[in-house]
Amino acid sequence: MLIREACCAAFYCQRCGQIHVHEIPYFSDARKTVLRCDTCGHEQAVLERLNGGRISVELDCVVCGENNRFVFSLKRLHSVQLEKIYCRKDHFELGYIGCRKKIEELLSFNQAEFEALHPSDGKNFIEKQRVLLGVLNRVDEMASTGCISCSCGHSDISAELHGHYIVLSCANCGSCYTLRAEKASDLAHIGRYIELLVPGMAGDR
Ligand SMILES: [Zn+2]
Ligand SMILES: [Zn+2]
Ligand SMILES: [Zn+2]
């Protein structure tokens, strides 16, 4: 028998939110392999062969900006059925690692696989994660092009994830703005410009 892959992995693209199955090679000439999103080409993960039959997997988390590095033994990877990979800092789910069949079942919305991994979120998890990443990236892009500001005159705005909501808050006056990031329509409803309103400045007069 020829072992071609140690296992497979599927990571949510931190740019476009899509998820695709990639092989993690058992034998490889190159020490470093970059996995890219099949949809947008964004660099998703960097795999590096280490001594002693181990491999490191580096993944960025768009929620906290942290780069996560996981080290696995290839032997163990070969026997993994299906496991969640999440950001160490904020537990944001980054993807899955395991055998191809199990991952493909999960991605084709197999209910049993979902319930095992996501007892409360179930079948909609992948779609929700895709929307969440889409909204996060949209907010990030808007912030960097000056399209998010506060009516107090400042544009030093931070974003925080609370479940399926993204809360924007002004570093100067503390005003907040909540964006829902759960359904595809939430992404479509974001305008070109977001203005945080200081309570009492508008409306009350
Ligand atoms: Zn992508
Ligand atoms: Zn994170
Ligand atoms: Zn403000």
Side-chain angles (χ1 to χ4, degrees):
M1 188 180 85
L2 190 65
I3 304 166
R4 280 179 37 250
E5 57 194 43
C7 70
C8 285
F11 303 117
Y12 292 99
C13 175
Q14 299 292 297
R15 185 201 272 161
C16 74
Q18 295 294 343
I19 184 161
H20 307 278
V21 185
H22 290 116
E23 271 176 27
I24 294 190
Y26 206 92
F27 300 107
S28 167
D29 294 336
R31 284 199 81 79
K32 273 196 182 186
T33 314
V34 174
L35 301 184
R36 289 181 184 280
C37 171
D38 291 353
T39 304
C40 75
H42 182 64
E43 186 176 302
Q44 291 193 304
V46 180
L47 310 181
E48 190 179 2
R49 310 269 313 186
L50 307 173
N51 294 331
R54 293 171 310 144
I55 190 164
S56 79
V57 179
E58 275 178 49
L59 291 167
D60 287 331
C61 170
V62 78
V63 176
C64 66
E66 201 84 352
N67 179 266
N68 282 273
R69 186 169 185 263
F70 304 92
V71 176
F72 300 99
S73 105
L74 285 166
K75 222 179 202 166
R76 189 178 95 75
L77 281 187
H78 198 59
S79 61
V80 165
Q81 289 290 301
L82 189 58
E83 259 178 39
K84 265 201 268 196
I85 304 280
Y86 47 85
C87 173
R88 289 211 181 90
K89 197 171 168 188
D90 54 20
H91 276 241
F92 186 66
E93 196 164 318
L94 300 172
Y96 313 96
I97 206 154
C99 70
R100 178 177 289 275
K101 189 174 163 276
K102 290 273 183 195
I103 295 178
E104 282 173 349
E105 276 176 26
L106 182 82
L107 299 187
S108 63
F109 302 99
N110 180 294
Q111 195 60 38
E113 298 301 345
F114 266 101
E115 271 165 14
L117 283 186
H118 310 101
S120 55
D121 277 310
K123 221 171 176 173
N124 296 322
F125 189 84
I126 290 180
E127 175 60 15
K128 284 183 183 171
Q129 199 73 344
R130 201 182 64 74
V131 171
L132 187 57
L133 284 162
V135 174
L136 278 168
N137 279 291
R138 182 70 181 281
V139 163
D140 191 49
E141 192 188 295
M142 288 173 79
S144 67
T145 52
C147 294
I148 301 179
S149 65
C150 178
S151 61
C152 76
H154 286 254
S155 55
D156 186 4
I157 313 291
S158 66
E160 230 180 278
L161 182 65
H162 295 277
H164 288 287
Y165 290 87
I166 293 163
V167 178
L168 305 177
S169 52
C170 171
N172 180 57
C173 72
S175 295
C176 292
Y177 185 97
T178 304
L179 280 163
R180 201 170 69 160
E182 202 172 2
K183 294 182 195 149
S185 57
D186 297 335
L187 183 56
H189 283 154
I190 303 173
R192 286 167 181 269
Y193 193 87
I194 295 175
E195 188 180 21
L196 279 64
L197 296 173
V198 178
M201 259 181 80
D204 290 4
R205 277 167 296 171

